[in-house]
């Protein structure tokens, strides 16, 4: 009996974002973050949209582009230890549906934040910098061969 080997994936990190309901859970999480920020009485609507965007993008950057390795014991001889979650996603294959979703979601949030802040210069600069901080690390040119 093999203890802890209940899945057939060599690295479960590669397929977790394709799991059933993960995109809906992700969108609901962003929505809950936004509602929690809206419930703070001294934040205006533009500040809440900017905070939602910045907090989302900071979390995405940390969990997808900064942290390396996997929380699972993998039989890949330490290869996953050197890769970020983004590099492990879908075994490094570019332009899959999961990668497209996680590329489009910060862009949609950016458009919403820009619209609801009425394109105020300060908010626009902060939101643009935040968006670029998560889009640039997703570029295929920044990842070595798998």
């Amino acid at each position: 009996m093999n203890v802890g080997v209940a899945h057939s994936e060599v690295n479960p990190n590669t397929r977790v974002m394709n799991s059933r309901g993960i995109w809906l859970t992700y969108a609901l999480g962003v929505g809950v973050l936004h509602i929690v920020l809206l419930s703070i009485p001294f934040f205006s609507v533009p500040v809440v949209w900017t905070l939602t965007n910045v907090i989302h993008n900071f979390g995405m950057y940390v969990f997808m582009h900064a942290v390396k390795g996997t929380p699972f014991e993998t039989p890949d001889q330490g290869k996953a230890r050197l890769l970020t979650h983004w590099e492990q996603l879908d075994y490094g294959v570019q332009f899959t549906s999961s990668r497209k979703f996680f590329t489009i979601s910060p862009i949609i949030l950016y458009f919403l934040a820009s619209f609801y802040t009425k394109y105020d210069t300060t908010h626009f600069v902060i939101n643009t910098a935040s968006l670029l901080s998560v889009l640039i690390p997703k570029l295929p040119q920044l990842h070595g061969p798998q």
Side-chain angles (χ1 to χ4, degrees), residues 12-138:
N13 256 6
T14 59
R15 296 280 179 207
V16 71
M17 295 304 180
N18 288 327
S19 300
R20 185 177 174 156
I22 195 75
W23 295 0
L24 177 62
T25 305
Y26 177 84
L28 288 174
V30 174
V32 166
L33 169 67
H34 185 69
I35 290 171
V36 166
L37 290 173
L38 274 174
S39 69
I40 300 173
F42 53 86
F43 283 162
S44 66
V45 172
V47 168
V48 167
W49 275 104
T50 298
L51 280 174
T52 302
N53 189 34
V54 169
I55 291 169
H56 167 268
N57 289 344
F58 177 75
M60 179 176 267
Y61 179 80
V62 168
F63 291 116
M64 286 220 173
H65 302 293
V67 176
K68 292 187 177 194
T70 177
F72 309 102
E73 182 69 35
T74 58
D76 65 357
Q77 310 232 341
K79 290 178 187 172
R81 194 169 49 90
L82 304 172
L83 300 173
T84 64
H85 188 81
W86 182 258
E87 293 166 332
Q88 295 175 46
L89 191 62
D90 296 326
Y91 295 105
V93 176
Q94 295 296 322
F95 309 114
T96 61
S97 57
S98 291
R99 284 181 179 245
K100 289 176 185 176
F101 174 78
F102 288 109
T103 301
I104 287 291
S105 59
I107 295 171
I108 291 171
L109 192 56
Y110 170 77
F111 285 148
L112 288 169
S114 296
F115 176 76
Y116 283 107
T117 58
K118 298 182 172 83
Y119 302 98
D120 177 66
T121 306
T122 306
H123 291 284
F124 190 75
V125 168
I126 292 169
N127 287 325
T128 301
S130 177
L131 175 69
L132 292 176
S133 73
V134 293
L135 281 188
I136 291 174
K138 287 178 174 44

